[in-house]
């Protein structure tokens, strides 16, 4: 299914041009228009899935395999020294385009980007309670 109002549906299916690095029946990999660093790329499924919750399992597996391929290639070609994979789900988590996408962000010495969080303190008891909430 495609969503007529979705820009990533149009990009993924070639209706809007993009800097495409790779394409197969299920996915297109493009350069991000507002890159965090040189070579910042996005994996887009060609079908419309809003987020990871909606993405079928086989797409999730294939997206990660494709990420491994692309990260290896981009590292080889651009000489980056590390990589972040980022995947936002929901407004609150920073998602701005509501069509699943996986960010692949090359990292360079002195790229002056920060991708991360502030670690909070947590007790063993709290961790145990959370663990039980999730798996209990
Ligand atoms: P997110 O905040 O995780 O939803 O990420 C959306 C990403 O899409 C951002 O990094 C944008 O720079 C990128 N983006 C938005 N529109 C386009 C576009 N037309 N072509 C390429 N990247 C885009
Ligand atoms: Zn879409």
């Amino acid at each position: 299914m495609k969503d007529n109002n979705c820009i990533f549906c149009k990009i993924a299916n070639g209706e809007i041009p993009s800097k495409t690095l790779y394409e197969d029946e299920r996915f297109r990999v493009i350069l991000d228009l507002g890159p965090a660093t040189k070579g910042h790329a996005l994996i887009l499924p060609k079908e419309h899935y809003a987020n990871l919750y909606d993405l079928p399992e086989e797409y999730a597996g294939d997206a990660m395999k494709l990420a491994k391929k692309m990260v290896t290639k981009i590292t080889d070609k651009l000489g980056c020294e590390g990589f972040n994979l980022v995947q936002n789900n929901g407004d609150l988590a920073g998602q701005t385009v509501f069509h699943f996408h996986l960010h692949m962000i090359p990292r360079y010495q002195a790229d002056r980007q920060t991708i991360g969080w502030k670690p909070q303190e947590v007790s063993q008891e709290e961790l145990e309670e959370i663990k039980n909430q999730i798996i209990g």
Side-chain angles (χ1 to χ4, degrees):
M1 279 269 286
K2 320 288 186 261
D3 177 336
N4 281 335
N5 298 313
C6 174
I7 184 159
F8 277 5
C9 277
K10 294 191 170 76
I11 291 173
N13 292 283
E15 290 163 43
I16 292 179
S18 63
K19 297 297 181 201
T20 295
L21 303 179
Y22 173 86
E23 185 186 0
D24 61 26
E25 297 113 68
R26 280 185 163 175
F27 296 100
R28 184 184 293 267
V29 181
I30 65 166
L31 287 177
D32 196 297
L33 263 189
T37 63
K38 179 181 173 184
H40 180 169
L42 303 172
I43 294 180
L44 313 177
K46 291 186 173 180
E47 295 292 317
H48 182 83
Y49 302 110
N51 51 39
L52 186 63
Y53 299 108
D54 289 357
L55 192 73
E57 267 190 24
E58 64 272 21
Y59 271 81
D62 287 352
M64 190 51 79
K65 283 186 195 161
L66 182 51
K68 180 172 167 59
K69 262 198 237 168
M70 296 307 303
V71 162
T72 304
K73 177 157 191 172
I74 294 169
T75 301
D76 184 37
K77 298 288 186 174
L78 297 187
C80 56
E81 293 161 79
F83 244 100
N84 291 110
L85 295 187
V86 177
Q87 201 276 305
N88 300 322
N89 296 281
D91 235 347
L92 198 68
Q95 187 176 9
T96 58
V97 181
F98 294 89
H99 174 124
F100 174 92
H101 51 282
L102 180 57
H103 294 263
M104 298 179 290
I105 305 174
R107 300 306 303 271
Y108 304 89
Q109 216 36 262
D111 64 25
R112 298 164 68 99
Q113 287 292 355
T114 48
I115 297 160
W117 55 89
K118 228 170 56 191
Q120 308 291 298
E121 290 199 1
V122 66
S123 67
Q124 282 301 316
E125 291 72 29
E126 284 172 302
L127 286 178
E128 181 67 18
E129 197 181 317
I130 296 162
K131 183 193 85 178
N132 290 332
Q133 247 184 299
I134 296 170
I135 69 170

